[in-house]
Amino acid sequence: MHDDHNHSEISLEEIEIKSWKKRLIGSWIFTVPIVLIMYLGKLIGIELFSEQLMNILLLILGFPVVFIFGFETIKAGLRGFYSLYFNMDSLISLGTIVAYITGFLSLFSISQNYSGISSMIMAIFITGKYVEAIARGKASMEIKKLLELGAKNAVVLRGNKEIEIPISEVKIGDIIIVKPGEKIPTDGIVTKGESSVDESMVTGESIPTDKIKGSNVIGATINQDGILYVKATKVGKDTFLAHIIKLVEEAQGTKVPIQKLADKITSVFVPAILVLTILVFFNWLMFSNDLSRALGIGISVLVIACPCALGLATPIALMVGSGVGAKNGILIRKGEAIQTMKEVRTIVFDKTGTITKGKPEVTDIHAKPKIKESYLLEISASLEKLSGHPIAKAIVDRVNAKKYREVKKFKILRGRGVEGYIGNKYIAIGNRTLMKEKDIDVKSSLNIIEKFEDEGKTLMIISENKKIIGFIAVADAVKEDSAFAINELNKDRYKTVMITGDNERTAKAIAREVGIKDVIANVLPEDKARIVSELQKNGMVAFIGDGINDAPALKQSNVGIAIGTGTDIAIEAGDIVLAKGSLIGVVQAIQLSKSTFKKIKQNLFWAFAYNTIAIPVAVIGLLHPVIAEIAMALSSITVVVNANLLRNSLNKKFRRM
């Protein structure tokens, strides 16, 4: 992790909070005396100042609040008048400037003095902005927590010396020494040493992963019991952790379609309010012939109409939602996925590496009567150890013997199996074709062979001196929680589909095991995207995959969900990335999408509710400008509080899984 990245990240958030805090303190230092000057005399029934002196004091004290601490707001607001693109600040800046000008008019007894009120409006507005900046900062704390996961220093071998350097100075190819209990500084490959590593921050698995020479390790995971020598393969912004942080940041910056709608509404709503204010002002002026009253009502309409909460409603909910997601290994790369996910009715799964673990494992060992299982395994592993085939590797991994028997005349028979001699016994291990070739009778074992084949497993038949002595079944094992996740989706009436390049028999066996209804087998990699587009004719489709060949389908689908333990290309193509590689993440992503979108809608309701109720009240002259500003500030605070309730409700839902 680059340290400078770390600092700039933190400082951006903190600069914003500090900047609003300074403005907040500054504006209230002047606003409190203004409130006292305006209302203290009335409260105690004594006139403290003459009206002329009071007006001058209010103008002097109000100037820094409106034009120094409120300068950014005034500038942003007035920009709308010459660019003709109005925003929230346009209403506030116009309202406060007009209110401030009444102070000068009051010196000539033309209008009541609202200049003190302009300061209160600005101070309350700045307070709302400060609360908003803190809430944003909180949502970005999740990113900060991810940043803090990284190690700060690394011990590297330079020549024969061990030296400690900052992590930002580690170069690709450096050999890093990681002692027990330390964080692995960066992504790399083990060149020496054996240990187990706690990778729960990435995989969510509580059981540490064993690492030996040649194993890949991920930066920020924790080395457990042995010393590891790790050759750095990725540094700085290329590491897995940096990748995750970038995804989270991108998601928090993207716009949801409903946010674009809110922006459109604002661009129409603000000019409409400006027109309404002018009409209200002239109407009141005509009918009451009281400039002061007309100005006061005009200012109230401007202030209460400011839809500040509207600008907050979507981003704040999206930030909280994506932050909670990131903590739980659900990384939202594109904000719109949150809105689209809730419309999805069909969920399509790639098989290998998504539903299954993606590598063959021994699932069954069946020894013939009078043959010990241990003997069967020992001779199988002794031969298979000499083959580099993935199935052979699965058998050797399962046996994990300290010593193997000596094999003579070993031969690999491509596509069929292996053969050789142990002592003076001839051993052949392979499929039915090999048995037929060697004249070994399989008729008496057909029922066992067919049973395993029906389950979609690859069967190794073991024969000794041309007699079958047992079977070892190998399959790409289903991930522990795939069936649970798919069952949850079926319960919620989602259509679940599996696409695979495997033959139909194997595919159907896996689908039966996990509870998937529809299977599309024998699919060529380039056809996956086409099948997704066919399924899209019946509604929105989410596709879940992990491989390079899944990237086009991930892009084609309405929501592409990439398994984070898969290839970089798949991760790049996904809208949502499941860092833990577990399909429970799909269920959680749907819940996240529904809950976050519900909050966005609630927030938009609250953002408008205050305005809709209060604008008519202001128009008929029953709303004082200060009350108008308090109501406006409350709408922003409601939206922030409501978005933060999302954090608690999502955490509760995820805990139940």
Side-chain angles (χ1 to χ4, degrees), residues 38-50:
M38 284 170 70
Y39 301 112
L40 190 63
K42 286 176 188 164
L43 279 173
I44 57 176
I46 304 163
E47 209 167 287
L48 299 170
F49 308 99
S50 69

Side-chain angles (χ1 to χ4, degrees), residues 4 19 22 26 48 89 149 156 188 204 213 223 309 311 354 455 530 548 552 585 593 651:
D4 55 354
S19 151
K22 271 184 201 153
L48 299 170
D89 294 343
L149 288 173
V156 295
K213 188 178 172 178
N223 184 22
T354 302
E455 288 169 7
R530 184 184 52 76
I548 293 171
S593 157
N651 282 332

Side-chain angles (χ1 to χ4, degrees), residues 155-164 175 177 192 229:
V155 176
V156 295
L157 266 185
R158 293 269 160 94
N160 292 328
K161 274 205 185 116
E162 290 183 18
I163 55 165
E164 190 167 338
I175 301 292
I177 300 159
K192 194 170 124 191
Y229 288 75

Side-chain angles (χ1 to χ4, degrees), residues 523-598:
V523 176
L524 295 170
E526 56 271 26
D527 288 341
K528 285 184 180 178
R530 184 184 52 76
I531 290 165
V532 167
S533 72
E534 289 288 313
L535 291 166
Q536 280 171 320
K537 288 174 186 163
N538 302 319
M540 295 230 187
V541 172
F543 179 84
I544 297 121
D546 73 319
I548 293 171
N549 60 355
D550 296 323
L554 285 162
K555 276 270 177 248
Q556 171 66 42
S557 61
N558 302 89
V559 180
I561 301 178
I563 299 290
T565 48
T567 61
D568 286 357
I569 294 175
I571 291 169
E572 285 296 330
D575 303 309
I576 295 173
V577 179
L578 305 179
K580 295 177 183 175
S582 155
L583 291 187
I584 288 175
V586 177
V587 183
Q588 290 177 328
I590 291 169
Q591 288 178 340
L592 180 77
S593 157
K594 285 182 175 168
S595 303
T596 306
F597 198 73
K598 194 171 156 194

